[in-house]
Amino acid sequence: MSRAVAAPERNDASVAAQQAAVRGLDAMAVERAAVENAEAGGIGGLLRRIDWSKAGLVVGLLLFAAASIVLYHLLAELTWTDVENAIARVKWHEVAMAAGATALSYLALVGYDLLALRHIRAKVPLRAVAFTSFVSHAFTYTLGFGVLTGGAVRWRMYQGYGLKPAQILAVGMLCAVTFWLGITGVAGLGLVLEPSMLAPLDGLDARLNLAIGAVIVGAILAWVVASAIKPRTVTISDWTMPLPGAGAALGSVLVGLLDTTAAACALWLILPDGPDPGFASFLVVFAIATVLGVVSHVPGGVGVFEATMIVALPLVPQADLVGSLLLFRLVYYAVPFGLASALLGAYEVRHRRETVGRIAGTLGSLARPLVPRAAGVAVFLGGVVLLLSGATPAEHDRIRVLRSFVPLPFVETSHFAASVIGLVLLVVAYGLVRRMTNAWRLAILLLSAGALFSVLKGLDFEEAIVCTVVVCLLLVSRREFYRQADLFAVRPSFEWILAVIVAIGASIWLGFFVWRNVEYQNVLWWDFGYHHDAPRFMRATLGVFVAALGIAAYILLHRSQPAADPAAPDEVARILPLVAASPRSEANLALLGDKRFVLAPDGRGFVMYGVQGRSWISMGDPVADDGEVDDLVWQFKELVDRHGGMPVFYQVTTQHLPAYLDAGFSLAKLGEEAWVPLTRFTLEGGEGRRLRQAKAKAERSGASFAMVPAAEVGTIIDELEEVSNLWLTQKGNKEKGFSLGFWSRAYMLRYDQAVIRHEGRIVAFANIWRGADRREYTVDLMRYRPDGPAGMMDLLFIGLLSQAKSEGFAWFNLGMAPLSGLATHRLASLWSRIGAFLYRRGDRFYNFEGLRAFKDKFKPEWRPKYLAFPGGLALPQILMDVTGLIASSPRRALSEEIS
């Protein structure tokens, strides 16, 4: 074939050579290259391009696919019930003897490691060899891929006893070689002794199977003789390993015989009674099935081993054989693997106490945030289990036992109570997600009661175990539930409410489905008996429904916000010195009477805040020295976290942004604040011409500016109130608070007032805030009469700016222009683009652009202000809560004042 392929290519090469000669090229070189290409394109080239390292996996995949098809056809008429019945017929003492045979098999496997270690002249204590052999073989047999599983275990264990990497690699390879010598030797001997047993499997004549067995045994004997004459080695690059000699080869066959015999015995002991092929014949089939399973590279030879056994043992009933094979998987593979995993874990913990402790601490810290959610889900599932259990019938055998020592009223009450507890657990689970202490206590109480009632209502130990396990989870995670909030005062999320409805609906549907053949009668409600499950379900369903309505009504009507009420007068008195000493004029917002306070431990700073819904909103940065701001941010966040709220800092400055970022907050720009540098403010010259003209125009209309000290405000308070009321009426506004002042006589009497008079009456006023270090001067509440003269507000601010400059202040704060200065770039945040759109298009709601234009007349510096919030999708709700708090603060303050 290669010649047939090469011939035309060689002709093409001659043509190419002639053309190359014409062009002055070396024709021989071209033809030589063409010939080489032709040879490379033949079968030899194709074979060289095949990646033979993957051939084993391909063969294994084909074997597994063939075994799967065979099993599918063989077991087409088999049902799981048949298998369950077959497993139930196996006696426990037979399983115990199979476990003993398994132990003998794994003990025999130690011989492979001993032979390998002896061959490389390495000394390792026998107990260490036994431990390593058991763990490595358990991992290899169950998981497959011995180089990665059992080899890794040997590498980990033997390096602790001084073996070098080359020696450990040699041990692994020698164990593989001796294993194959042993298992093939057993298979060959079996074919020689019982050649007819494989006829159902390979379809070959017994004499041919005998010949195959003789060839395998002969090959092993030839290897033994050749090894005795001349030792063999394997060389890989610079590394050389001697192959097992005659003694090691014979020893491996002996070890393989002991291992395979014990393993086959483990399955043989749990086979059903019936046609007996004889243990020797069964051993042959078992050995061949094991070889095919190992060749398949499938972990544990799953599927391949079973298909081989089923095909080779046609006389054994399929259901019984499948049940025995499943039990064999459990006894020979699953149990040793679980024990090996536990032993390896204990070994690592013992030898790496410090590392394990450090890793455990790291994993614990990483998993800690997930604990409340996991606990909530576990408690929710516990509630679902109790609800579903109450909807299904109890097992009659258990009820027969129960009625002998539990009176019927206890059974009925326990069933009803367990179902109601299941419902309450669905609600309590949400409190656990929110880390509430009350939810933690209630969950432990209810789960403990649910476990007891599960036993009393029908010996439902499964439900009791579930409840107990969840209680243990809650007990070990006690520190994660620390929030002192009212469980039923917190509104669950829509998703959680939906999950509760689905759980209740599923339990009711299941109950009606189970009892669909029971004809409804009114008398069923009052039908009590040990075996009367349908009436119990009806009563429990009614109880769950009533309890659900009661909880829903309580949550809707009960609004407990202990931290939302304003601070008491004595708290306000404690922060008065701090407000007076603060360089920030907005600290005076603490005196509105609508806020609560978080005091620094040393009493030298505070956070003022209000609560609206779940949002705990701090007004501005903490009022404190720069060095204490970070601690107060964390202190406020911890307080909010304990109560299950969302911490928010409203209108914070750029000065302390790192504190909020370090505390995990996200930032959203709210707008920009206008700061007028008073050193540059003037009414003189060309710069002050426009302001000077505005002032002169207002004064020509009869308006005048004046300052009224706080001590004299009482004489004009009635007039100020009249102006305030007219302003509110004309604007159609209601008083707002929290971030700005509102009318309150007590509040207004604290401050100097700037007033504009016209024809002997006050037509405009503003109360004045001063920073403690003469850095900041500003106003808070400003009101004017609708019928006042034109230019009165210009006159008011010109007079204030002149007054502030004359008092030696550095800056005049004109306040914030909301939504101004937000980015409009297409890659900006969604909030920024929405805010910028509202700034440009929202004049019908608020004069955004007009307000900024008015303040721009005084040539201010614009400084951004931000909202610091937890991030995620909470921003819309937080903005609504801030708006609600600003609108409701005056009512809260006045109600507190009245009380």
Side-chain angles (χ1 to χ4, degrees), residues 67-142:
S68 300
I69 295 172
V70 170
L71 283 176
Y72 178 79
H73 289 290
L74 287 176
L75 307 179
E77 299 181 358
L78 191 64
T79 65
W80 178 247
T81 302
D82 298 333
V83 177
E84 283 184 322
N85 294 333
I87 293 175
R89 286 192 292 271
V90 178
K91 299 178 179 58
W92 284 108
H93 74 273
E94 295 173 343
V95 177
M97 289 190 294
T102 297
L104 289 175
S105 174
Y106 277 90
L107 183 62
L109 289 171
V110 179
Y112 290 129
D113 281 74
L114 288 174
L115 288 171
L117 290 169
R118 180 182 178 186
H119 189 66
I120 65 170
R121 294 182 174 85
K123 293 183 179 180
V124 179
L126 179 59
R127 59 181 177 80
V129 176
F131 180 85
T132 303
S133 172
F134 171 70
V135 175
S136 61
H137 281 103
F139 274 55
T140 299
Y141 283 4
T142 306

Coordinates of all heavy atoms in Angstrom, one line a residue, residues 67-142:
A67 N -19.7 -2.5 27.7 CA -20.3 -3.0 29.0 C -21.6 -2.4 29.3 O -22.6 -3.0 29.7 CB -19.3 -2.9 30.1
S68 N -21.7 -1.1 29.1 CA -23.0 -0.3 29.3 C -24.1 -0.8 28.4 O -25.2 -1.0 28.9 CB -22.8 1.2 29.1 OG -21.8 1.7 29.9
I69 N -23.8 -1.1 27.2 CA -24.8 -1.6 26.2 C -25.2 -3.0 26.6 O -26.4 -3.3 26.7 CB -24.2 -1.6 24.8 CG1 -24.0 -0.2 24.3 CG2 -25.2 -2.3 23.8 CD1 -23.3 -0.1 23.0
V70 N -24.3 -3.8 27.0 CA -24.6 -5.2 27.4 C -25.5 -5.2 28.7 O -26.5 -5.9 28.8 CB -23.3 -6.0 27.7 CG1 -23.6 -7.3 28.4 CG2 -22.6 -6.2 26.4
L71 N -25.1 -4.3 29.7 CA -25.9 -4.3 30.9 C -27.3 -3.8 30.6 O -28.3 -4.2 31.2 CB -25.2 -3.3 31.9 CG -24.0 -3.9 32.7 CD1 -23.4 -2.8 33.6 CD2 -24.5 -5.1 33.5
Y72 N -27.4 -2.8 29.7 CA -28.7 -2.2 29.3 C -29.7 -3.3 28.8 O -30.8 -3.4 29.2 CB -28.6 -1.1 28.3 CG -29.9 -0.5 27.9 CD1 -30.6 0.4 28.7 CD2 -30.5 -0.9 26.7 CE1 -31.8 0.9 28.2 CE2 -31.7 -0.4 26.2 CZ -32.3 0.6 27.0 OH -33.5 1.1 26.6
H73 N -29.1 -4.2 27.9 CA -29.9 -5.2 27.3 C -30.2 -6.4 28.3 O -31.3 -7.0 28.4 CB -29.3 -5.8 26.1 CG -29.3 -4.8 24.9 ND1 -30.5 -4.4 24.3 CD2 -28.4 -4.0 24.3 CE1 -30.3 -3.6 23.3 NE2 -29.0 -3.3 23.3
L74 N -29.2 -6.7 29.1 CA -29.3 -7.8 30.1 C -30.3 -7.5 31.2 O -31.1 -8.4 31.6 CB -28.0 -8.1 30.7 CG -26.9 -8.8 29.8 CD1 -25.6 -9.0 30.6 CD2 -27.5 -10.2 29.4
L75 N -30.4 -6.2 31.6 CA -31.2 -5.9 32.8 C -32.4 -5.1 32.3 O -33.1 -4.4 33.2 CB -30.4 -5.0 33.7 CG -29.0 -5.6 34.2 CD1 -28.3 -4.6 35.1 CD2 -29.2 -6.9 34.9
A76 N -32.8 -5.2 31.1 CA -34.0 -4.5 30.6 C -35.3 -4.8 31.3 O -36.1 -3.9 31.6 CB -34.2 -4.7 29.1
E77 N -35.4 -6.1 31.7 CA -36.7 -6.5 32.4 C -36.6 -6.5 33.9 O -37.5 -6.9 34.6 CB -37.1 -7.8 31.9 CG -37.4 -7.9 30.4 CD -37.8 -9.3 29.9 OE1 -37.9 -10.2 30.7 OE2 -38.1 -9.4 28.7
L78 N -35.4 -6.1 34.4 CA -35.2 -6.1 35.8 C -35.7 -4.8 36.5 O -35.5 -3.7 35.9 CB -33.7 -6.3 36.1 CG -33.3 -6.6 37.6 CD1 -33.9 -7.9 38.0 CD2 -31.8 -6.5 37.7
T79 N -36.4 -4.9 37.6 CA -36.9 -3.7 38.3 C -36.1 -3.6 39.6 O -35.5 -4.5 40.2 CB -38.4 -3.9 38.7 OG1 -38.6 -5.0 39.6 CG2 -39.2 -4.1 37.4
W80 N -36.2 -2.3 40.1 CA -35.4 -2.0 41.4 C -36.1 -2.8 42.5 O -35.3 -3.1 43.5 CB -35.5 -0.5 41.6 CG -34.8 -0.2 42.9 CD1 -35.3 0.4 44.0 CD2 -33.4 -0.3 43.2 NE1 -34.4 0.5 45.0 CE2 -33.2 0.1 44.6 CE3 -32.3 -0.9 42.5 CZ2 -32.0 0.1 45.2 CZ3 -31.1 -0.9 43.2 CH2 -30.9 -0.4 44.5
T81 N -37.3 -3.0 42.5 CA -38.0 -3.8 43.6 C -37.4 -5.2 43.6 O -37.2 -5.7 44.7 CB -39.5 -3.8 43.3 OG1 -40.0 -2.5 43.3 CG2 -40.2 -4.6 44.5
D82 N -37.2 -5.8 42.5 CA -36.6 -7.1 42.5 C -35.2 -7.1 43.1 O -34.8 -8.0 43.9 CB -36.4 -7.6 41.0 CG -37.8 -7.8 40.3 OD1 -38.8 -8.0 41.1 OD2 -37.8 -7.7 39.1
V83 N -34.4 -6.0 42.8 CA -33.1 -5.9 43.4 C -33.2 -5.7 44.9 O -32.4 -6.3 45.7 CB -32.3 -4.8 42.7 CG1 -30.9 -4.6 43.4 CG2 -32.1 -5.1 41.2
E84 N -34.1 -4.9 45.4 CA -34.3 -4.6 46.8 C -34.6 -5.9 47.5 O -34.1 -6.2 48.6 CB -35.4 -3.6 47.0 CG -34.9 -2.2 46.8 CD -36.0 -1.2 47.1 OE1 -37.2 -1.5 46.8 OE2 -35.7 -0.1 47.6
N85 N -35.5 -6.7 46.9 CA -35.9 -8.0 47.6 C -34.7 -8.9 47.6 O -34.5 -9.7 48.6 CB -37.1 -8.6 46.8 CG -38.3 -7.8 46.9 OD1 -38.5 -7.0 47.9 ND2 -39.2 -7.9 45.9
A86 N -33.9 -8.9 46.6 CA -32.7 -9.8 46.5 C -31.7 -9.4 47.6 O -31.2 -10.3 48.3 CB -32.1 -9.7 45.2
I87 N -31.5 -8.1 47.8 CA -30.6 -7.6 48.8 C -31.2 -8.0 50.2 O -30.4 -8.4 51.1 CB -30.4 -6.1 48.7 CG1 -29.6 -5.8 47.4 CG2 -29.6 -5.6 49.9 CD1 -29.5 -4.3 47.1
A88 N -32.5 -7.9 50.4 CA -33.1 -8.2 51.7 C -32.9 -9.7 52.0 O -32.9 -10.0 53.2 CB -34.6 -7.8 51.7
R89 N -32.8 -10.5 51.0 CA -32.6 -11.9 51.3 C -31.2 -12.3 51.7 O -31.0 -13.4 52.2 CB -33.0 -12.8 50.1 CG -34.5 -12.8 49.8 CD -34.8 -13.8 48.7 NE -34.3 -13.5 47.4 CZ -35.0 -12.8 46.5 NH1 -36.2 -12.4 46.8 NH2 -34.5 -12.6 45.3
V90 N -30.2 -11.5 51.6 CA -28.9 -11.7 52.0 C -28.8 -11.6 53.5 O -29.3 -10.6 54.1 CB -27.9 -10.8 51.3 CG1 -26.5 -11.0 51.8 CG2 -27.9 -10.9 49.8
K91 N -28.3 -12.6 54.2 CA -28.2 -12.6 55.6 C -27.0 -11.8 56.1 O -26.0 -11.7 55.5 CB -28.1 -14.0 56.1 CG -29.3 -14.9 55.7 CD -29.1 -16.3 56.2 CE -30.3 -17.2 55.9 NZ -30.5 -17.3 54.4
W92 N -27.2 -11.2 57.3 CA -26.2 -10.3 57.9 C -24.9 -11.0 58.2 O -23.8 -10.5 58.0 CB -26.7 -9.6 59.1 CG -27.7 -8.5 58.8 CD1 -29.0 -8.4 59.0 CD2 -27.3 -7.2 58.2 NE1 -29.5 -7.3 58.5 CE2 -28.5 -6.5 58.0 CE3 -26.1 -6.7 57.7 CZ2 -28.5 -5.2 57.5 CZ3 -26.1 -5.4 57.2 CH2 -27.3 -4.7 57.0
H93 N -25.0 -12.3 58.6 CA -23.7 -13.0 58.9 C -22.9 -13.3 57.6 O -21.7 -13.4 57.6 CB -24.0 -14.3 59.7 CG -24.6 -15.4 58.8 ND1 -26.0 -15.5 58.6 CD2 -24.0 -16.4 58.1 CE1 -26.2 -16.5 57.8 NE2 -25.1 -17.1 57.5
E94 N -23.6 -13.4 56.5 CA -22.9 -13.5 55.2 C -22.2 -12.2 54.8 O -21.1 -12.3 54.3 CB -23.9 -13.9 54.1 CG -24.6 -15.3 54.3 CD -25.7 -15.5 53.3 OE1 -26.2 -14.6 52.7 OE2 -26.1 -16.7 53.2
V95 N -22.8 -11.1 55.1 CA -22.2 -9.8 54.9 C -21.0 -9.7 55.8 O -19.9 -9.2 55.3 CB -23.2 -8.7 55.1 CG1 -22.5 -7.3 54.9 CG2 -24.3 -8.8 54.1
A96 N -21.1 -10.1 57.0 CA -20.0 -10.0 57.9 C -18.8 -10.9 57.5 O -17.6 -10.5 57.5 CB -20.4 -10.4 59.3
M97 N -19.1 -12.1 57.0 CA -18.0 -13.0 56.5 C -17.4 -12.4 55.2 O -16.2 -12.5 55.0 CB -18.6 -14.4 56.2 CG -18.9 -15.2 57.4 SD -19.3 -16.9 57.1 CE -20.8 -16.7 56.1
A98 N -18.2 -11.7 54.4 CA -17.6 -11.0 53.2 C -16.7 -9.9 53.6 O -15.7 -9.7 53.0 CB -18.8 -10.5 52.3
A99 N -17.1 -9.2 54.7 CA -16.2 -8.2 55.2 C -14.9 -8.7 55.7 O -13.8 -8.2 55.5 CB -16.9 -7.4 56.3
G100 N -14.9 -9.9 56.3 CA -13.7 -10.6 56.8 C -12.8 -11.0 55.6 O -11.6 -10.8 55.6
A101 N -13.4 -11.5 54.5 CA -12.7 -11.8 53.3 C -12.1 -10.6 52.7 O -10.9 -10.6 52.2 CB -13.6 -12.6 52.3
T102 N -12.8 -9.5 52.7 CA -12.2 -8.2 52.2 C -11.0 -7.8 53.0 O -10.0 -7.4 52.4 CB -13.3 -7.1 52.3 OG1 -14.4 -7.5 51.5 CG2 -12.8 -5.8 51.9
A103 N -11.1 -8.0 54.3 CA -9.9 -7.6 55.1 C -8.7 -8.5 54.8 O -7.6 -8.0 54.7 CB -10.2 -7.8 56.6
L104 N -8.9 -9.8 54.5 CA -7.8 -10.7 54.1 C -7.3 -10.3 52.8 O -6.0 -10.3 52.5 CB -8.3 -12.1 54.0 CG -8.7 -12.8 55.4 CD1 -9.3 -14.2 55.2 CD2 -7.4 -12.9 56.2
S105 N -8.1 -9.8 51.8 CA -7.7 -9.4 50.5 C -6.8 -8.2 50.6 O -5.7 -8.1 50.0 CB -8.9 -9.1 49.6 OG -8.5 -8.5 48.4
Y106 N -7.2 -7.2 51.4 CA -6.4 -6.0 51.6 C -5.1 -6.3 52.3 O -4.0 -5.6 52.1 CB -7.2 -4.9 52.3 CG -8.0 -4.1 51.3 CD1 -9.3 -4.5 51.1 CD2 -7.6 -3.0 50.7 CE1 -10.2 -3.8 50.2 CE2 -8.4 -2.3 49.8 CZ -9.7 -2.7 49.5 OH -10.5 -2.0 48.7
L107 N -5.1 -7.3 53.2 CA -3.9 -7.7 53.9 C -2.9 -8.3 53.0 O -1.7 -8.1 53.0 CB -4.3 -8.7 55.1 CG -3.1 -9.1 55.9 CD1 -2.5 -7.9 56.7 CD2 -3.6 -10.2 56.9
A108 N -3.5 -9.1 52.0 CA -2.6 -9.7 51.0 C -2.0 -8.7 50.1 O -0.8 -8.8 49.7 CB -3.4 -10.7 50.2
L109 N -2.7 -7.6 49.9 CA -2.1 -6.6 49.0 C -0.9 -5.9 49.6 O -0.1 -5.3 48.8 CB -3.2 -5.5 48.8 CG -4.4 -5.9 47.9 CD1 -5.4 -4.8 47.9 CD2 -3.9 -6.1 46.5
V110 N -0.7 -6.0 50.9 CA 0.5 -5.5 51.5 C 1.8 -6.1 50.9 O 2.9 -5.5 50.8 CB 0.5 -5.6 53.0 CG1 1.8 -5.1 53.6 CG2 -0.7 -5.0 53.6
G111 N 1.6 -7.4 50.4 CA 2.7 -8.1 49.8 C 3.3 -7.4 48.6 O 4.6 -7.5 48.4
Y112 N 2.5 -6.7 47.8 CA 3.0 -6.0 46.6 C 4.0 -4.9 47.1 O 5.1 -4.8 46.5 CB 1.9 -5.4 45.8 CG 1.0 -6.4 45.1 CD1 -0.4 -6.4 45.2 CD2 1.6 -7.4 44.3 CE1 -1.2 -7.3 44.6 CE2 0.8 -8.3 43.6 CZ -0.6 -8.2 43.8 OH -1.4 -9.2 43.1
D113 N 3.7 -4.2 48.1 CA 4.6 -3.1 48.5 C 5.8 -3.7 49.2 O 6.9 -3.2 49.0 CB 3.8 -2.2 49.5 CG 2.9 -1.2 48.9 OD1 1.9 -1.6 48.4 OD2 3.3 0.0 48.8
L114 N 5.6 -4.8 49.9 CA 6.8 -5.4 50.6 C 7.8 -5.9 49.5 O 9.0 -5.8 49.6 CB 6.4 -6.6 51.5 CG 5.7 -6.1 52.8 CD1 5.1 -7.4 53.5 CD2 6.6 -5.4 53.7
L115 N 7.3 -6.6 48.5 CA 8.1 -7.1 47.4 C 8.9 -5.9 46.7 O 10.1 -6.0 46.4 CB 7.3 -7.9 46.4 CG 6.8 -9.2 46.8 CD1 5.8 -9.8 45.8 CD2 7.9 -10.2 47.0
A116 N 8.1 -4.8 46.4 CA 8.8 -3.7 45.8 C 9.8 -3.0 46.6 O 10.9 -2.7 46.1 CB 7.7 -2.7 45.4
L117 N 9.5 -2.8 47.9 CA 10.5 -2.2 48.8 C 11.8 -3.1 49.0 O 12.9 -2.6 49.0 CB 9.9 -1.9 50.1 CG 8.8 -0.8 50.2 CD1 8.0 -0.8 51.5 CD2 9.5 0.6 50.0
R118 N 11.5 -4.4 49.0 CA 12.7 -5.3 49.2 C 13.5 -5.3 47.9 O 14.8 -5.4 48.0 CB 12.1 -6.7 49.4 CG 13.2 -7.8 49.6 CD 12.6 -9.1 49.8 NE 13.7 -10.2 49.9 CZ 13.5 -11.5 49.9 NH1 12.2 -11.9 50.0 NH2 14.5 -12.3 50.0
H119 N 12.9 -5.2 46.8 CA 13.6 -5.2 45.5 C 14.5 -4.0 45.4 O 15.6 -4.1 44.8 CB 12.6 -5.2 44.3 CG 13.2 -5.4 43.0 ND1 13.9 -6.6 42.7 CD2 13.3 -4.6 41.9 CE1 14.3 -6.5 41.5 NE2 14.0 -5.3 41.0
I120 N 14.1 -2.8 45.9 CA 14.9 -1.6 45.8 C 15.8 -1.4 47.1 O 16.4 -0.4 47.2 CB 14.1 -0.4 45.5 CG1 13.2 -0.1 46.7 CG2 13.3 -0.5 44.3 CD1 12.5 1.3 46.6
R121 N 15.7 -2.4 48.0 CA 16.5 -2.4 49.2 C 16.2 -1.2 50.1 O 17.1 -0.5 50.6 CB 18.0 -2.5 48.9 CG 18.4 -3.8 48.2 CD 19.9 -3.8 48.0 NE 20.3 -5.1 47.5 CZ 20.3 -5.5 46.2 NH1 19.8 -4.6 45.3 NH2 20.7 -6.7 45.8
A122 N 14.9 -0.9 50.2 CA 14.5 0.2 51.1 C 13.9 -0.3 52.4 O 13.1 -1.3 52.3 CB 13.5 1.1 50.4
K123 N 14.2 0.3 53.5 CA 13.7 -0.2 54.8 C 12.6 0.7 55.3 O 12.9 1.9 55.5 CB 14.9 -0.3 55.8 CG 15.9 -1.4 55.4 CD 16.9 -1.5 56.5 CE 17.9 -2.6 56.2 NZ 19.0 -2.8 57.3
V124 N 11.4 0.2 55.4 CA 10.3 1.0 56.0 C 9.6 0.1 57.0 O 9.4 -1.1 56.7 CB 9.3 1.4 54.8 CG1 8.1 2.1 55.4 CG2 10.0 2.2 53.8
P125 N 9.2 0.6 58.2 CA 8.5 -0.2 59.2 C 7.3 -0.9 58.6 O 6.6 -0.4 57.7 CB 8.2 0.8 60.2 CG 9.1 1.9 60.1 CD 9.4 2.0 58.6
L126 N 7.1 -2.1 59.1 CA 6.0 -2.9 58.5 C 4.6 -2.2 58.7 O 3.8 -2.2 57.8 CB 5.9 -4.3 59.2 CG 4.8 -5.2 58.8 CD1 4.9 -5.5 57.3 CD2 4.9 -6.5 59.6
R127 N 4.4 -1.6 59.9 CA 3.1 -0.9 60.1 C 2.9 0.2 59.1 O 1.8 0.5 58.6 CB 3.0 -0.4 61.5 CG 4.1 0.6 61.9 CD 4.0 1.1 63.3 NE 5.1 1.9 63.7 CZ 5.1 3.2 63.4 NH1 4.2 3.8 62.7 NH2 6.2 4.0 63.8
A128 N 4.0 0.9 58.7 CA 3.9 2.0 57.8 C 3.6 1.4 56.4 O 2.8 2.0 55.6 CB 5.2 2.8 57.7
V129 N 4.2 0.3 56.0 CA 4.0 -0.3 54.7 C 2.5 -0.8 54.7 O 1.8 -0.6 53.7 CB 4.9 -1.5 54.5 CG1 4.6 -2.3 53.2 CG2 6.4 -1.1 54.5
A130 N 2.0 -1.4 55.7 CA 0.6 -1.8 55.8 C -0.3 -0.7 55.6 O -1.3 -0.7 54.9 CB 0.4 -2.6 57.1
F131 N -0.1 0.4 56.4 CA -0.9 1.6 56.3 C -0.9 2.2 54.9 O -2.0 2.5 54.3 CB -0.4 2.6 57.3 CG -1.2 3.9 57.3 CD1 -2.3 4.0 58.1 CD2 -0.8 5.0 56.6 CE1 -3.1 5.2 58.1 CE2 -1.5 6.2 56.6 CZ -2.7 6.3 57.3
T132 N 0.3 2.3 54.3 CA 0.4 2.9 53.0 C -0.3 2.0 51.9 O -1.0 2.5 51.0 CB 1.9 3.1 52.6 OG1 2.5 4.0 53.6 CG2 2.0 3.8 51.2
S133 N -0.1 0.7 52.0 CA -0.6 -0.2 51.1 C -2.2 -0.1 51.1 O -2.8 -0.1 50.1 CB -0.1 -1.6 51.3 OG -0.8 -2.5 50.5
F134 N -2.7 -0.2 52.3 CA -4.2 -0.2 52.4 C -4.8 1.1 51.8 O -5.7 1.1 51.0 CB -4.6 -0.3 53.9 CG -6.0 -0.1 54.1 CD1 -7.0 -1.0 53.7 CD2 -6.5 1.0 54.8 CE1 -8.3 -0.8 53.9 CE2 -7.8 1.2 55.0 CZ -8.8 0.3 54.5
V135 N -4.2 2.3 52.2 CA -4.8 3.5 51.8 C -4.6 3.7 50.3 O -5.5 4.1 49.5 CB -4.1 4.7 52.5 CG1 -4.6 6.0 51.9 CG2 -4.4 4.7 54.0
S136 N -3.4 3.4 49.7 CA -3.2 3.6 48.3 C -4.0 2.6 47.5 O -4.6 3.0 46.4 CB -1.7 3.3 48.0 OG -1.3 2.0 48.3
H137 N -4.2 1.4 47.9 CA -5.0 0.4 47.1 C -6.5 0.8 47.2 O -7.2 0.6 46.2 CB -4.7 -1.0 47.6 CG -3.5 -1.6 47.0 ND1 -2.3 -1.7 47.8 CD2 -3.2 -2.1 45.8 CE1 -1.4 -2.3 47.0 NE2 -1.9 -2.5 45.8
A138 N -6.9 1.2 48.4 CA -8.3 1.6 48.5 C -8.6 2.8 47.6 O -9.7 2.8 47.0 CB -8.6 2.0 50.0
F139 N -7.7 3.7 47.5 CA -7.9 4.9 46.6 C -7.9 4.4 45.2 O -8.7 4.9 44.3 CB -6.9 6.0 46.9 CG -7.2 6.9 48.0 CD1 -7.5 6.4 49.3 CD2 -7.3 8.2 47.8 CE1 -7.9 7.3 50.3 CE2 -7.6 9.1 48.8 CZ -7.9 8.6 50.1
T140 N -6.9 3.6 44.8 CA -6.8 3.1 43.4 C -8.0 2.3 43.0 O -8.5 2.5 41.9 CB -5.5 2.3 43.3 OG1 -4.4 3.1 43.6 CG2 -5.3 1.8 41.8
Y141 N -8.4 1.4 43.8 CA -9.5 0.5 43.5 C -10.8 1.3 43.3 O -11.6 1.0 42.4 CB -9.7 -0.6 44.5 CG -8.7 -1.7 44.4 CD1 -7.7 -1.7 43.5 CD2 -8.8 -2.8 45.3 CE1 -6.7 -2.7 43.4 CE2 -7.9 -3.8 45.2 CZ -6.9 -3.8 44.3 OH -5.9 -4.8 44.2
T142 N -11.0 2.3 44.1 CA -12.3 3.0 44.1 C -12.3 4.2 43.1 O -13.3 4.4 42.4 CB -12.6 3.6 45.5 OG1 -12.6 2.5 46.5 CG2 -14.0 4.2 45.5

